[in-house]
C-alpha cells in the first residue's frame, strides 16, 4: 500500500496490542521494501491487514511464518470479503474488529489448522485510538512517502447511502467523537508544519456542519490541508465555500454511472445526457473552490448498454476538462456487497486470482450487456480518450494551481493513464490471439491462462515459492454457498430451488 494511503486499522491493532501488554512492531509494505529484511523474526503472532490485491502475497507471508511456529491473523478488506478462503491460510480471520475481538485472539493465540477461526464483532468499534496514540506508527510510515505526506484520519464509519456495489452500503453510518477529532488536529499541529490530512471516511461530510464546526474550533483555517472522498449530493456551493475556507485541497466524488446511482449524485431523476450536463456543471463549480478533483466511474455496470455510456463519459470529459477521471472495472469482491450474491446466483463471477482484483487488472463479473471483446474495445477507447495528449493538455490548462496541474500530468503518463491503456490493450489483443483467454473469460474453462500465472510469479518474486498449493485459486461462489438455506413455505412454488442450491 502506498505510504500515503496506509490504512488506519493496522495502527489501531498496534495500539490495542500494546495496551494489552505486548511488544509491537508495525511495517507498512509499499511494494518496494525487501520483505525478508523488514519482517521481524522473533515474534509470536503476526497480524496482516490486506486488501484483496495483496491476498496472495499475504498468504505466502503467512505460510512462511507458520512454518516457523508463528500464529497468523488476517484482517482488513480481504478478510471481510473472502473469509472462507482466508481461513485456509491463517489461524484467525477477522471481520469487524473491536478491542474485545482482538483480546480473544491474544488470549487464545493458538494455531488453528487446517482451518482458521473466523471472528467478527457485531459492528464497527464505537471509538478508535486517535492520532496521538497512533503517531509512533504514523511517523515511520510517512517517512516512506517521498514528497507529500498524508496523515490518515477518520471522522465516521459506514455510509447512509446504499450503492449496491459498495462494502459500506450495508454498514451503519456512525460518526466518531468530535472531541477526538479536535484533539487529533491540535496534536498534529505540534508535530508537522503544515500537515495534510486524508479523511478515510467512506463518505466525508454526512454530518457536514458538525464536522466543519469541530475542525474550525480546533485549528485556524488554512493551517492544515485536507483531502476527502465525498458524494456529489453533499457538495453544494454553500458547503464548498466552507470547505475552501478550511483548506480542503482535493475531493473525490463518485459519479459511477450515467444511468444508476443517482441518489449519491443528488441527481435521482435525471439520466443520460441530462445527467452529464447537470454533473458537469456541478463539478466545474466544485473546481472553483477545490483545487483538485477526481471523478470516479465504474465501467460495466448492469445499467450500461452499448456505446452510449462511454460516449457520455467522453462528453463529460469535454465539458469538465479539469477533473481527473478515475475508472474502475466492475468487480465483485466476495461478500463485500449484497449485489455480489446476485452475480453469483447468475453464475457471472469468474475466479480471477485475487492478485488482479484491484478494479483494473481483471473484471471478475461477466458484464450483463456486453460481450468481452466489444467491452474491452470500449474500455481501451475511453482510457485513450481520457489520457490523450489533447485531454492531458486541456486538464493542465483547466487547473489553476501548480501541484494539481502537474499531478494530473504525472498520473496520466504513469500507470493510471498510459499504463492502463497498455494493459487493457494487451488483454484485448489476447482475447483474439489466445484461445485459452477467451475460454476463461467466457466461463468455458477454469484453467487460468498462463499470462496470469506468470504475472503473479513475477510479482511475488522469491515469495512465490512460499505460496501454498492451490492458493492461486478460490471459489468464486463461496458467498452464495455460505448463505443459510431458506425453508420452503406454502407461498413458494414447490420446485423453486432454495437459496444456495443454484449451483
Ligand atoms: S456513497 Fe460512497 S461510501 Fe456511500 S454507499 Fe455509495 S459508494 Fe459507498
Amino acid at each position: 500500500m502506498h505510504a500515503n494511503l496506509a490504512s488506519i486499522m493496522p495502527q489501531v491493532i498496534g495500539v490495542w496490542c500494546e495496551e494489552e501488554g505486548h511488544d509491537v512492531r508495525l511495517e507498512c509494505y509499499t511494494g518496494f521494501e525487501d520483505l525478508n529484511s523488514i519482517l521481524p523474526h522473533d515474534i509470536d503472532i503476526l497480524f496482516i491487514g490486506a486488501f484483496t490485491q495483496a491476498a496472495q502475497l499475504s498468504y505466502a507471508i503467512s505460510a512462511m511464518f507458520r512454518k516457523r511456529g508463528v500464529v497468523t491473523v488476517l484482517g482488513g478488506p480481504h478478510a471481510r470479503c473472502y473469509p472462507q478462503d482466508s481461513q485456509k491460510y491463517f489461524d484467525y480471520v477477522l471481520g469487524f474488529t473491536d478491542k474485545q475481538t482482538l483480546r480473544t485472539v491474544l488470549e487464545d493465540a493458538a494455531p488453528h489448522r487446517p482451518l482458521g477461526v473466523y471472528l467478527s464483532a457485531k459492528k464497527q468499534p464505537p471509538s478508535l485510538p486517535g492520532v496521538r496514540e497512533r503517531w509512533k506508527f504514523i511517523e515511520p510510515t510517512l517517512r516512506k512517502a517521498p514528497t507529500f505526506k498524508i496523515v490518515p484520519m477518520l471522522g465516521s464509519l459506514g455510509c447512509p447511502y446504499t450503492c449496491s456495489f459498495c462494502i459500506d452500503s450495508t454498514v451503519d453510518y456512525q460518526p466518531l467523537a468530535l472531541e477526538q477529532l479536535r484533539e487529533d488536529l491540535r496534536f498534529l499541529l505540534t508535530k508537522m508544519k503544515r500537515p495534510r490530512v486524508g479523511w478515510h471516511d467512506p463518505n466525508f461530510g454526512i454530518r457536514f456542519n458538525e464536522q466543519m464546526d469541530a475542525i474550525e474550533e480546533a485549528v485556524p483555517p488554512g493551517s492544515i490541508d485536507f483531502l476527502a472522498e465525498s458524494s456529489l449530493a453533499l457538495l453544494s456551493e454553500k458547503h464548498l465555500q466552507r470547505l475552501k475556507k478550511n483548506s480542503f485541497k482535493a475531493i473525490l466524488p463518485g459519479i459511477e454511472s450515467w444511468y444508476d446511482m443517482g441518489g449519491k449524485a443528488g441527481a435521482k431523476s435525471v439520466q443520460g445526457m441530462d445527467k452529464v450536463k447537470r454533473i458537469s456543471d456541478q463539478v466545474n463549480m466544485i473546481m472553483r473552490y477545490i483545487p483538485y478533483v477526481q471523478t470516479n466511474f465504474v465501467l460495466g455496470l448492469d445499467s450500461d448498454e452499448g456505446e452510449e455510456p462511454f460516449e457520455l463519459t467522453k462528453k463529460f470529459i469535454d465539458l469538465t476538462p479539469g477533473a481527473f477521471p478515475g475508472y474502475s472495472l466492475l468487480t465483485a469482491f466476495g461478500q463485500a456487497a449484497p449485489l455480489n450474491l446476485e452475480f453469483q446466483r447468475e453464475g457471472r463471477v469468474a475466479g480471477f486470482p485475487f492478485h488482479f482484483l484491484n478494479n483494473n487488472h481483471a473484471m471478475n463479473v461477466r458484464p450483463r450487456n456486453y460481450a468481452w471483446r466489444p467491452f474491452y474495445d470500449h474500455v481501451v477507447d475511453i482510457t485513450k480518450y481520457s489520457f490523450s495528449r489533447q485531454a492531458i493538455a486541456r486538464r493542465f490548462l483547466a487547473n489553476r494551481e501548480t501541484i494539481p496541474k502537474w499531478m494530473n500530468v504525472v498520473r496520466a503518463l504513469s500507470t493510471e493513464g498510459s499504463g492502463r491503456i497498455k494493459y487493457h490493450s494487451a488483454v484485448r489483443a489476447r482475447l483474439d490471439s489466445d484461445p485459452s483467454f477467451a475460454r476463461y473469460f467466457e466461463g468455458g474453462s477454469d484453467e487460468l491462462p498462463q499470462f496470469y500465472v506468470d504475472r503473479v510469479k513475477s510479482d511475488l518474486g522469491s515469495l512465490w515459492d512460499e505460496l501454498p498449493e492451490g492458493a492461486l485459486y478460490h471459489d468464486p461462489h463461496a458467498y452464495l454457498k455460505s448463505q443459510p438455506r431458506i425453508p420452503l413455505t406454502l407461498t413458494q412454488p414447490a420446485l423453486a430451488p432454495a437459496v444456495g442450491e443454484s449451483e
Side-chain angles (χ1 to χ4, degrees):
M1 180 63 93
H2 191 290
N4 274 329
L5 302 174
S7 304
I8 290 175
M9 208 54 198
Q11 300 169 357
V12 167
I13 296 291
V15 173
W16 282 345
C17 283
E18 286 193 337
E19 285 172 3
E20 294 296 304
H22 297 273
D23 294 328
V24 174
R25 176 154 161 205
L26 188 141
E27 285 292 344
C28 172
Y29 177 56
T30 65
F32 297 104
E33 301 84 344
D34 172 11
L35 275 173
N36 280 319
S37 64
I38 62 164
L39 289 174
H41 293 270
D42 52 347
I43 53 170
D44 305 306
I45 302 192
L46 172 74
F47 287 84
I48 296 182
F51 49 8
T52 290
Q53 190 186 0
Q56 264 91 25
L57 176 68
S58 63
Y59 291 177
I61 295 172
S62 175
M64 189 166 85
F65 275 84
R66 285 170 100 178
K67 274 188 221 153
R68 299 179 196 157
V70 174
V71 168
T72 64
V73 189
L74 182 74
H78 186 67
R80 272 179 65 193
C81 296
Y82 294 97
Q84 299 87 358
D85 197 70
S86 306
Q87 278 172 274
K88 293 193 250 170
Y89 308 106
F90 285 83
D91 297 301
Y92 299 89
V93 175
L94 306 183
F96 287 147
T97 304
D98 58 12
K99 204 166 176 186
Q100 185 50 48
T101 317
L102 180 71
R103 217 174 265 143
T104 307
V105 174
L106 294 174
E107 282 167 8
D108 183 47
H112 292 277
R113 299 162 198 178
L115 216 55
V117 174
Y118 176 69
L119 294 171
S120 182
K122 283 206 175 72
K123 51 183 191 158
Q124 301 269 34
S127 63
L128 296 168
V131 175
R132 183 189 294 275
E133 291 116 309
R134 294 188 280 115
W135 187 250
K136 61 184 297 185
F137 302 126
I138 293 174
E139 203 178 20
T141 303
L142 289 185
R143 258 184 251 127
K144 297 187 179 195
T147 14
F148 290 109
K149 298 187 187 296
I150 301 175
V151 178
M153 275 184 62
L154 260 177
S156 64
L157 299 163
C159 180
Y161 289 86
T162 52
C163 309
S164 51
F165 61 86
C166 172
I167 193 166
D168 283 297
S169 62
T170 53
V171 180
D172 289 343
Y173 174 73
Q174 177 199 324
L176 295 171
L178 293 170
E179 190 40 51
Q180 165 103 65
L181 185 151
R182 285 189 280 264
E183 144 72 12
D184 281 352
L185 295 177
R186 286 187 199 116
F187 170 79
L188 211 47
L189 273 188
T190 66
K191 291 291 175 189
M192 298 171 92
K193 207 164 160 222
R194 174 140 184 180
R196 278 190 191 95
V197 166
W199 292 105
H200 283 213
D201 303 37
N203 194 354
F204 180 86
I206 297 289
R207 297 216 177 153
F208 187 82
N209 287 331
E210 282 177 20
Q211 264 177 312
M212 299 310 285
D213 286 349
I215 291 173
E216 286 168 9
E217 282 157 25
V219 291
S223 55
I224 298 182
D225 292 336
F226 296 102
L227 302 82
E229 284 199 48
S230 188
S231 52
L232 287 168
L234 301 171
L235 296 170
S236 64
E237 187 147 17
K238 205 167 144 214
H239 282 186
L240 287 159
Q241 286 163 354
R242 208 157 170 205
L243 290 171
K244 181 179 177 181
K245 179 182 156 207
N246 286 299
S247 201
F248 274 69
K249 296 293 186 191
I251 287 278
L252 290 77
I255 295 171
E256 328 302 4
S257 156
W258 301 117
Y259 297 97
D260 207 350
M261 319 291 164
K264 64 186 279 196
K268 236 180 195 161
S269 55
V270 285
Q271 286 193 340
M273 194 57 205
D274 290 341
K275 186 170 173 185
V276 172
K277 286 183 188 151
R278 162 103 66 102
I279 304 284
S280 171
D281 284 349
Q282 189 184 356
V283 174
N284 283 327
M285 185 263 290
I286 295 171
M287 294 205 69
R288 292 202 291 276
Y289 294 95
I290 308 287
Y292 195 85
V293 177
Q294 172 177 319
T295 46
N296 294 329
F297 299 89
V298 181
L299 306 181
L301 285 164
D302 284 3
S303 53
D304 289 353
E305 196 172 353
E307 65 176 357
E308 195 178 353
F310 296 93
E311 292 304 313
L312 290 174
T313 304
K314 287 184 187 171
K315 195 76 202 160
F316 175 80
I317 289 168
D318 294 345
L319 293 172
T320 329
F324 188 93
Y327 299 113
S328 295
L329 302 182
L330 177 64
T331 307
F333 287 97
Q335 56 192 60
L339 180 66
N340 299 353
L341 266 186
E342 223 173 279
F343 292 143
Q344 293 188 11
R345 265 191 209 113
E346 292 169 354
R348 290 169 57 198
V349 182
F352 283 98
F354 296 134
H355 191 73
F356 300 94
L357 299 189
N358 62 356
N359 289 317
N360 274 287
H361 284 165
M363 170 159 160
N364 71 348
V365 183
R366 290 184 194 98
R368 182 187 289 286
N369 298 317
Y370 297 91
W372 282 114
R373 287 181 181 83
F375 178 73
Y376 264 93
D377 283 338
H378 286 308
V379 171
V380 171
D381 182 50
I382 190 67
T383 316
K384 281 185 176 167
Y385 192 88
S386 309
F387 303 111
S388 64
R389 278 166 192 250
Q390 293 90 325
I392 295 172
R394 294 185 71 219
R395 209 168 289 134
F396 187 86
L397 294 173
N399 276 277
R400 288 165 290 125
E401 296 191 8
T402 311
I403 293 175
K405 273 177 183 286
W406 286 105
M407 202 154 103
N408 281 328
V409 174
V410 171
R411 289 181 74 187
L413 296 177
S414 65
T415 46
E416 282 179 275
S418 310
R420 286 201 190 143
I421 295 171
K422 211 168 138 202
Y423 185 86
H424 293 321
S425 303
V427 170
R428 174 62 187 91
R430 276 171 194 272
L431 282 168
D432 280 342
S433 66
D434 182 345
S436 73
F437 235 70
R439 271 199 306 277
Y440 187 78
F441 272 65
E442 300 297 349
S445 160
D446 286 337
E447 200 184 322
L448 189 63
Q450 196 56 36
F451 169 82
Y452 291 106
V453 181
D454 292 344
R455 267 190 92 106
V456 182
K457 210 169 171 177
S458 136
D459 289 351
L460 288 190
S462 62
L463 279 165
W464 169 259
D465 295 331
E466 302 286 351
L467 192 67
E469 207 187 321
L472 209 48
Y473 302 88
H474 67 277
D475 180 356
H477 299 111
Y479 183 24
L480 183 60
K481 289 176 184 166
S482 73
Q483 293 302 293
R485 287 161 185 257
I486 298 173
L488 292 181
T489 67
L490 287 177
T491 53
Q492 286 177 307
L495 292 176
V499 175
E501 282 183 346
S502 57
E503 288 297 282

